Amino acid sequence: MSNTLDNVFGMNSQALEVWQRRSEAIASNIANADTPDYKARDVDFRQVLQQASGESSNLELATPSPGQINPVQQSADQLKYRVPLQPSLDGNTVDSQVEQSSFASNMVHYQASLSFINGTIQTLRLAINGGGQS
Amino acid sequence: MSLMKIFDTAGSGMAAESLRLNTVASNLANADSVSSSADSAYKAKELLFAPTQESEEGFGASADAEVNNGVRMVGVSESQQPVESQYEPGNPMADENGYVYSSNVNPIDELVNMISASRSYQNNVEVMNTTKQLMIKTIDLGS
């Protein structure tokens, strides 16, 4: 059943997860806006979504025994460092304005994914109720 | 629900910034304090922040451990600016030569610090508000 629902929602549910991770990263950046030597980081949306939906074109290295490190997983988990527009003397690379705008756009994207899912749910309801009263 | 973690992150940011505001308040309150020796004079205090590294077990740990960085206060440093001495023989705090030592607080620095701290605090509040609204929307999904 859950598999069917996953198919219904398409990649929106995975996208939601990636937006969520990105918002976490940006929240960390904003919280550390005054921390010396803190390097701002961000999620590469395209790469992570490819990873999440299993559409990565890279061939994965097989890791048959439990002690081995999976390099694909590792590189996917890593966040990218942001290139600062204005480097500061204390080594902090957080740019509040950039972070604020990224957070805002990230949340709009999150809402977009949410409303796609919502639309699908309403369509399903309509199909179940046959257009009668909900 | 990993949106919950944003509350921790933004919350730690708010705590750190309010601590910074507290420090500014105590520096400004003591700007006119005097003392009878240069060593015991009030020195302006500054906070040192560092990111919190949550769990670091294992190689890959998890992506979340790496993403989720709050902020914490790791120490208080005292300003190394020279302490000013003033000749006030009538002051009960004066030393044997008639000098009192005032604090080395620079009110301009403190005011700038205060504005910066309050702006950063507002940023964190904004992050929390937006996250809260989105969580409510997510919970209401399909209604």
Side-chain angles (χ1 to χ4, degrees), chain A residues 53-122:
Chain A
S53 53
E55 285 172 13
S56 174
S57 56
N58 297 333
L59 289 176
E60 297 186 14
L61 181 71
T63 50
S65 56
Q68 282 181 307
I69 301 168
N70 185 348
V72 177
Q73 178 126 30
Q74 283 234 306
S75 65
D77 286 349
Q78 266 167 16
L79 295 166
K80 302 279 191 292
Y81 286 97
R82 187 162 273 160
V83 179
L85 295 174
Q86 291 180 328
S88 68
L89 213 54
D90 64 355
N92 184 306
T93 62
V94 179
D95 213 330
S96 305
Q97 296 87 335
V98 173
E99 300 304 335
Q100 269 184 333
S101 61
S102 314
F103 193 79
S105 78
N106 190 52
M107 285 321 189
V108 171
H109 282 123
Y110 183 94
Q111 291 201 32
S113 292
L114 265 190
S115 54
F116 283 135
I117 293 179
N118 224 347
T120 313
I121 292 173
Q122 260 150 24

Side-chain angles (χ1 to χ4, degrees), chain A residues 20-21 23-25 27-28 30-32 34-36 38 41 74 77 100 103 107 110-111 114 117-118 121 125, chain B residues 2-3 6 9 17 20 49-51 59-60 63 66-67 69-71 120 123-124 127 130 134 137-138 141-142:
Chain A
Q20 219 168 69
R21 278 187 57 184
S23 62
E24 267 175 47
S28 299
I30 292 178
N32 282 291
D34 296 314
T35 309
Y38 180 86
R41 292 180 300 178
Q74 283 234 306
D77 286 349
Q100 269 184 333
F103 193 79
M107 285 321 189
Y110 183 94
Q111 291 201 32
L114 265 190
I117 293 179
N118 224 347
I121 292 173
R125 278 203 170 169
Chain B
S2 73
L3 275 181
I6 297 178
T9 309
E17 297 303 341
R20 198 165 148 218
F49 290 158
F59 279 109
E66 207 195 331
V67 184
N69 261 340
V71 63
S120 300
N123 272 347
N124 282 303
V127 167
T130 314
L134 285 185
K137 280 196 179 175
T138 314
L141 204 60

Side-chain angles (χ1 to χ4, degrees), chain B residues 2-83:
Chain B
S2 73
L3 275 181
M4 269 303 196
K5 288 178 192 154
I6 297 178
F7 281 99
D8 295 340
T9 309
S12 76
M14 282 162 70
E17 297 303 341
S18 70
L19 212 58
R20 198 165 148 218
L21 270 178
N22 256 319
T23 320
V24 169
S26 100
N27 285 349
L28 280 178
N30 281 294
D32 290 328
S33 300
V34 291
S35 154
S36 52
S37 77
D39 286 340
S40 61
Y42 183 85
K43 313 277 196 313
K45 289 172 178 49
E46 279 166 30
L47 297 181
L48 203 58
F49 290 158
T52 49
Q53 222 75 44
E54 302 233 319
S55 61
E56 286 175 347
E57 74 261 9
F59 279 109
S62 70
D64 297 340
E66 207 195 331
V67 184
N68 213 29
N69 261 340
V71 63
R72 74 202 154 98
M73 200 263 296
V74 286
V76 182
S77 67
E78 291 193 330
S79 165
Q80 298 299 312
Q81 294 293 314
V83 175

